[in-house]
């Protein structure tokens, strides 16, 4: 426990001339049969650090690099203390064998982890392609803005795990937004806000107005930014919201908002 406390309070620096840092830089192991107090005094100028190191009572040490595929990725340190043992050449041979086996095992574990991660990435890519193909197919059958909006709402909620979604489109004069499709919202609220001005103090209006999304804000953050909407947000048990403009050639034609039960 004390050794761990020393490590936490006084972490080693990679440019130190001795010990683990040197082994990591050079790839050459070290064995110190006897750790003299004078060496501690010379290496540790901090009084409290020196006191704690002395309290550990370290007598002997072996430090070896973890090497796999000609790459140094760590080191193992062996110490003796209260046993009063001093390491010998035979101990060094055994430690080298242990370290070699450990390095291979750790490297194999890392390779396995990388392979698993690559597989998950590939699976997510395939899911994304399948989702986009599904959306494309659904949109190709939509003939009106209302039908397109219905596809956007349903597919966005399914793809992103949303609990609610609404799409609002700009009128011809680009002065007003009209909600054309909404799922997961109070019906009276949707009817009351069916049409709202582009300069309204609402997140979706702001996103459409500036042409940039407002990403994954918590309910608290949204209430802080839009305190006049606190009562509205209180009606929904959501932990995150996003508002995204629908852009065509640099101009917004509307926007979509989604609410999420879980933080995003």
């Amino acid at each position: 426990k004390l050794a761990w406390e020393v490590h936490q309070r006084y972490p080693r620096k990679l440019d130190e001339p001795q010990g683990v840092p040197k082994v990591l830089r050079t790839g050459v192991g070290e064995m110190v049969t006897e750790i003299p107090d004078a060496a501690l005094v010379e290496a540790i100028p901090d009084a409290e650090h020196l006191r704690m190191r002395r309290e550990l009572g370290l007598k002997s040490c072996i430090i070896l690099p973890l090497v796999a595929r000609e790459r140094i990725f760590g080191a193992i340190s062996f110490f003796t203390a209260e046993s009063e043992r001093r390491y010998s050449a035979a101990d060094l041979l055994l430690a080298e064998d242990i370290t070699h086996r450990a390095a291979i095992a750790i490297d194999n574990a890392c390779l396995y982890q990388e392979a698993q991660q690559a597989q998950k990435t590939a699976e997510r890519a395939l899911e994304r392609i399948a989702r986009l193909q599904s959306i494309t197919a659904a949109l190709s059958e939509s003939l009106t803005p209302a039908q397109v909006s219905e596809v956007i709402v349903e597919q966005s909620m399914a793809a992103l795990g949303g609990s609610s979604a609404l799409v609002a489109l700009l009128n011809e004069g680009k002065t007003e937004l009209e909600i054309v499709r909404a799922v997961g919202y109070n019906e009276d609220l949707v009817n009351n806000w069916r049409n709202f001005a582009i300069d309204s103090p609402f997140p979706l209006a702001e996103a459409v107005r500036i042409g940039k999304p407002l990403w994954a804000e918590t309910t608290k953050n949204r209430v802080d930014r839009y305190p006049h909407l606190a009562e509205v947000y209180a009606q929904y048990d959501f932990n995150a919201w996003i508002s995204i403009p629908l852009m065509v050639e640099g101009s917004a034609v509307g926007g979509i908002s989604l609410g999420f039960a879980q933080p995003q």
Side-chain angles (χ1 to χ4, degrees), residues 10 17 87 135 137 185 193 217-218 237-238 260:
Y10 305 99
Y87 285 127
I135 293 173
Y185 289 92
W193 288 6
E217 295 178 306
T218 63
D237 188 22
F238 296 161
F260 302 87

Side-chain angles (χ1 to χ4, degrees), residues 161-212:
S163 301
S164 70
L166 69 79
V167 171
L169 300 179
L170 276 171
N171 61 4
E172 290 186 7
K174 295 189 176 183
T175 59
E176 194 174 73
L177 285 158
E178 178 185 1
I179 297 175
V180 292
R181 178 65 175 165
V183 173
Y185 289 92
N186 182 290
E187 187 175 348
D188 291 339
L189 178 68
V190 174
N191 289 333
N192 291 336
W193 288 6
R194 179 71 62 183
N195 297 85
F196 54 97
I198 187 68
D199 57 359
S200 298
F202 302 150
L204 185 56
E206 181 180 342
V208 174
R209 192 166 62 248
I210 65 176
K212 295 181 180 180

Side-chain angles (χ1 to χ4, degrees), residues 65-85:
L66 289 162
V67 181
R69 291 181 290 149
E70 299 182 351
R71 180 173 63 92
I72 302 170
F73 59 86
I76 295 182
S77 302
F78 302 91
F79 288 91
T80 62
E82 62 274 6
S83 69
E84 299 288 339
R85 276 194 61 205

Side-chain angles (χ1 to χ4, degrees), residues 225-236:
R225 289 184 60 184
Y226 309 98
H228 57 288
L229 300 177
E231 292 184 10
V232 173
Y233 286 125
Q235 299 176 30
Y236 301 94

Side-chain angles (χ1 to χ4, degrees), residues 45-106:
D46 183 272
E48 177 62 12
H49 186 187
L50 179 62
R51 183 195 66 76
M52 295 176 73
R53 287 292 291 271
R54 280 173 167 166
E55 189 174 339
L56 287 172
L58 303 179
K59 298 296 187 296
S60 187
C61 76
I62 295 174
I63 305 172
L64 296 171
L66 289 162
V67 181
R69 291 181 290 149
E70 299 182 351
R71 180 173 63 92
I72 302 170
F73 59 86
I76 295 182
S77 302
F78 302 91
F79 288 91
T80 62
E82 62 274 6
S83 69
E84 299 288 339
R85 276 194 61 205
R86 268 61 172 178
Y87 285 127
S88 65
D91 293 317
L92 178 60
L93 290 175
L94 177 59
E96 287 175 341
D97 189 27
I98 292 171
T99 302
H100 177 66
R101 293 167 185 263
I104 292 173
I106 293 171

